Amino acid sequence: MMLSSSDFASASWELVVRVDHPNEEEQKDVTLRVSGDLHVGGLMLKLVEQINISQDWSDFALWWEQKHCWLLKTHWTLDKCGVQADAKLLFTPQHKMLRLRLPNVKTVRLRVSFSAVVFKAVSDICKILNIRRSEELSLLKPSGDYFKKKKKKDKSNKEPIIEDILNLEGSPTTSGPPVSPGLYSKTMTPTYDPINGTPASSTMTWFSDSPLTEQNCSILAFSQPPQSPEALANMYQPRSLVDKAKLNAGWLDSSRSLMEQGIQDDEQLLLRFKYYTFFDLNPKYDAVRINQLYEQARWAILLEEIDCTEEEMLIFAALQYHISKLSLSAETQDFTNESEVDEVEAALSNLEVTLEGGKADNALEDITDIPKLADNLKLFRPKKLILKAFKQYWFIFKDTSIAYFKNKELEQGEPVEKLNLRGCEVVPDVNVAGRKFGIKLLIPVADGMNEVYLRCDHENQYAQWMAACILASKGKTMADSSYQPEVLNILSFLRMKNRNSASQVASSLETMDMNPECFVSPRCAKKHKSKQLEARILEAHQNVAQMPLVEAKLRFIQAWQSLPEFGLTYYLVRFKGSKKDDILGVSYNRLIRIDAATGIPITTWRFTNMKQWNVNWEIRQVAIEFDQNVSIAFTCLSADCKIVHEYIGGYIFLSTRSKDQNETLDEDLFHKLTGGQE
């Protein structure tokens, strides 16, 4: 029989609370006599008095097992919470141990809040690890077989190696560090040497409460020795887009706590960069962040989570070899002379790894005449049963459109065709050794994508046109301040690919104990003999051999960003009205519908054209409205629809960040954009 609240007020009843005793294995039940008008704080006080053990109970709170929620509003009465005699309550610490596998495959063990929402918990974790911009990272619960190695055929397997765990247990994330790594002021002392990423010893006091001693900090800020080819072969490698979609199913919900999501004490999770917009990377403050980002990029390439050409794989291998050599070498300590610091500062202004390009330094720049490009290029449109034949035309690139004419003399008349590149996909089609500099454009039209190939004659022409296409796809013109840095980025990447640009011969020191299979994906390693692979990596290494450590990591990140698939997170979905499953690619500025069987993009929708998006929770369907009465709806098959919804809202939230150094994150806005409640 249900009792009314007035009956509750007059009547007292028995409530059993299970207590997590910190020093004892077993939980104990404590029975209390309570009434409905007792508030949660009063219940906890009664509980502590009855347990009668003198210790600090301040971190303890009540967890309601059936409702799967914390009772954190201590001023609420039991009636208001809905707690009755049948409630199963657990009195347990809010901070518990968690093992986190970092992008560099190192595991750290630290104390984390299981009662705060994951967005806040990740922010606290990043403060301990000294990683700024925590909003770019999140926690991923991998599928059950992620940590298990593949079974070997031979039974004579050695005992598994016990994992090397960096224990930061003495670091309750409750005590706030004196300076939040999310922000810094121009006057703050640099925390790291900008050339080689070592902690500047005099500023180690900056870590204060943080358990990161210089030694621990180096473990996080320096690259780990490469894994053996055998270990690499045992790691999980996605073979198809559907496999890649499965990897993304485990992102935790940022708006709920770890406990609410069933995470256990001392469970192992992955800490990863979730959003591919790396804001304001600065070697003076971000040695750990840059290194972990480099490691995430490195593993994505080695495990083929992202595709690249063989030529690109060799550049990545050369940079890895260079970075691992510098990380091992004690000589890295001697790099810091002023001119090199200035060089890295200068390189960084180009290397700003902010995908959307910085804001214009000079407001006048954007209102002057918009520059245009005009040149002879070759064009090809793929049609069935026709061999690839490129035809030369006179091209003019202005604003965000390309027009082409039969020849230069006809440019005042009507063009053969005008291509509007806003919202298109731009894919490099380059082989430097074969002197092929192509640009593949996928231009959205009503019923899908138009495919157009352009072919340039040389590096400089390619860099200018490619940069213009990339900006135009984002709705920007060549007057934007990010155009020149984009051209330079493309040129620097092409030069790394150009094997003949450096003629130095590898010295005996250069070839020290290289195990070339450690630096390429297992599939690439199988194609080549070891000696042949080593020679090709060393050849590519000549182009990067003079780079300081941090610059090499930034170059690696930048080269990763220039890959066509960069920043795409895949989900298996079923679009409304469709009879088959498709892949949805979510990026920092667009959604792409991809054919699951062929991997070919079908349609692209830009976030800039999005009017609203929401979730119908009853049928678990995400619905999005765009300009020009375009609307789409899909159900998510490989993950919960909340994960996809949070990704979209998260990217829109990150696009609101600005370089105001004193700006604090608007956590409420994040939850509003990602929560899915209208």
Side-chain angles (χ1 to χ4, degrees), residues 426-445:
V426 185
V427 183
D429 181 24
V430 173
N431 180 331
V432 177
R435 306 301 296 156
K436 172 180 151 192
F437 302 103
I439 301 168
K440 178 178 164 187
L441 300 171
L442 295 165
I443 300 164
V445 287

Side-chain angles (χ1 to χ4, degrees), residues 486-556:
E486 188 68 55
V487 173
L488 293 171
N489 283 348
I490 293 166
L491 279 172
S492 75
F493 192 35
L494 290 178
R495 283 184 191 131
M496 285 198 279
K497 287 185 179 183
N498 186 359
R499 295 198 222 146
N500 306 324
S501 65
S503 56
Q504 303 157 328
V505 179
S507 67
S508 56
L509 174 74
E510 294 290 302
T511 54
M512 60 176 200
D513 299 335
M514 189 209 279
N515 190 349
E517 291 83 3
C518 299
F519 301 112
V520 295
S521 69
R523 189 161 46 161
C524 178
K526 279 177 194 158
K527 284 186 190 170
H528 303 280
K529 291 196 175 85
S530 190
K531 280 273 175 271
Q532 184 189 13
L533 197 57
E534 183 172 327
R536 292 187 67 184
I537 292 172
L538 286 173
E539 199 174 4
H541 179 247
Q542 291 170 16
N543 294 335
V544 298
Q546 303 309 312
M547 264 184 209
L549 183 57
V550 175
E551 191 188 330
K553 286 180 187 174
L554 285 165
R555 279 299 164 91
F556 193 100

Side-chain angles (χ1 to χ4, degrees), residues 98-110 129 146-147 162-168 215-225 227 235 268-272 288 291-292 295-296 298-299:
L98 199 58
R99 283 173 301 135
L100 292 178
R101 175 84 69 96
L102 302 182
N104 67 345
V105 200
K106 202 87 184 132
T107 300
V108 296
R109 193 164 176 269
L110 68 178
L129 302 179
Y146 182 86
F147 293 115
I162 293 163
E163 196 172 15
D164 177 23
I165 293 180
L166 177 61
N167 211 331
L168 304 178
Q215 179 198 359
N216 288 348
C217 175
S218 296
I219 290 171
L220 301 180
F222 277 137
S223 177
Q224 297 299 302
Q227 292 270 6
M235 288 177 150
Q268 183 155 10
L269 298 175
L270 310 181
L271 179 71
R272 289 286 180 272
V288 176
N291 185 55
Q292 296 298 333
E295 288 282 351
Q296 187 161 325
R298 185 168 87 86
W299 285 108

